[in-house]
Amino acid sequence: METFILETPTRHHHHMEADNDTGISEFLLLGLSEEPELQPIIYRLFLCMYLITVLGNLLIILAVSSDSHLHTPMYFFLSSLSFVDICFTSTTIPKMLWNIQTQSQVITYAGCLTQMYFFILFGGWDDFLLAVMAYDRFVAICHPLHYTVIMNPRLCGLLVLVSWVISVLNSLLQSLMVLRLSFHTKVEIPHFFCELNQVVGQACSDTFLNDMVMNFGILLLGGSPLAGILYSYSKIVSSIRRISSAQGKYKAFSTCASHLSVVSLFYCTLLGVYLSSAAPQSSHSSAVASVMYTVVTPMLNPFIYSLRNRDIKRALKRITGVPVM
């Protein structure tokens, strides 16, 4: 009987436990391409991008922690973002590189759930940190005289902690919801990591409740921070418009330019993924589009901040001994 359950996909609820505990022997991550000749190219490209991401973000953390001039709320949030970006890419890329290297597409059921949990956790935390950084710029530009009083170390720590707690709770909820689903014995995921939407889509039991919880999560982790960012920037823009001198306007705006670039990049790529996954027969294009926000955005963040920021450039020059452009 046990062999029968292992070999035969089932849709019945009384088999759900068997399906989840013993029936699912493996999930297969089909990756970005199944063409054998493309695998070495994908491997080298992603290895380079991953190393640049880790190194770039580590340098930002080092620069901020080693320079006392950078011990301000803005740079504290920036180094937190860099830490989260390293963790965010580390949930997906190493496994993808390992699978290409070992020429295997397998990820265990437990491995898939773990990857999903941490991916949602760090993705959500990233999102909330961008909103916290927008709030920091709003206070700096709209209430400059009260900035140090409002953005005290206690509030800064609290904002990062609350962002983390909300992300953990959402991630836990989404992952636990997947546990109630039953799957066929062999599940093929047309992606390079266990993306929640793709995994739920492969289930052979009713996913209505999962879809509801998933949409709630998107609304909470996508909508709320975006609303906060838009509100902060609407206030920032109206405040900058009241500055009389052109030089003053430029100086005020230049403190937000890096953050605005990162926010635009993050949300535009997310929108691209959402639109590509909404199109029919698009699982492959959705996987390719996902590369933008899972790998490219965390990789570009350090460059965006270091290229536009004199303080970061100075700190990096002191650490590396190489002048930054």
Side-chain angles (χ1 to χ4, degrees), residues 257-259 261-262 265 297 300-309:
S258 301
H259 178 257
S261 310
V262 169
L265 189 65
T297 306
L300 292 179
N301 285 357
F303 292 101
I304 293 169
Y305 274 99
S306 57
L307 289 174
R308 297 195 63 93
N309 193 300

Side-chain angles (χ1 to χ4, degrees), residues 79-263:
S79 55
S80 302
L81 184 76
S82 290
F83 168 73
V84 173
D85 278 342
I86 291 171
C87 297
F88 186 52
T89 44
S90 298
T91 57
T92 55
I93 307 305
K95 177 61 185 168
M96 178 202 185
L97 295 174
W98 174 259
N99 278 10
I100 294 173
Q101 188 65 27
T102 56
Q103 294 183 345
S104 153
Q105 296 177 322
V106 175
I107 184 167
T108 61
Y109 177 64
C112 191
L113 275 175
T114 307
Q115 189 182 60
M116 210 185 318
Y117 171 78
F118 284 109
F119 181 80
I120 298 166
L121 166 60
F122 292 118
W125 198 5
D126 210 314
D127 206 3
F128 273 110
L129 279 176
L130 290 175
V132 166
M133 290 168 87
Y135 174 69
D136 171 68
R137 293 298 82 214
F138 158 70
V139 177
I141 289 167
C142 301
H143 306 283
L145 299 175
H146 303 113
Y147 179 69
T148 46
V149 179
I150 297 170
M151 299 305 291
N152 57 67
R154 190 169 165 270
L155 180 71
C156 294
L158 199 64
L159 285 169
V160 172
L161 184 66
V162 168
S163 306
W164 178 73
V165 170
I166 297 170
S167 306
V168 164
L169 292 175
N170 172 65
S171 186
L172 202 58
L173 175 65
Q174 302 289 352
S175 307
L176 289 173
M177 288 299 292
V178 175
L179 279 174
R180 60 180 284 278
L181 297 174
S182 48
F183 296 87
H184 294 308
T185 48
K186 207 173 191 180
V187 181
E188 292 190 343
I189 300 166
H191 218 299
F192 65 93
F193 67 96
C194 286
E195 202 251 342
L196 179 66
N197 198 22
Q198 297 283 353
V199 174
V200 171
Q202 300 298 320
C204 57
S205 55
D206 183 48
T207 61
F208 175 75
L209 198 59
N210 290 73
D211 293 333
M212 290 287 287
V213 172
M214 209 183 335
N215 289 328
F216 166 74
I218 290 167
L219 202 67
L220 174 74
L221 272 86
S224 315
L226 184 59
I229 290 166
L230 292 174
Y231 175 78
S232 296
Y233 274 102
S234 68
K235 291 288 182 188
I236 287 168
V237 168
S238 64
S239 188
I240 288 175
R241 282 175 67 186
R242 285 199 296 271
I243 299 171
S244 50
S245 72
Q247 197 183 355
K249 279 182 179 175
Y250 174 76
K251 196 179 175 187
F253 182 73
S254 65
T255 65
C256 307
S258 301
H259 178 257
L260 206 52
S261 310
V262 169
V263 167

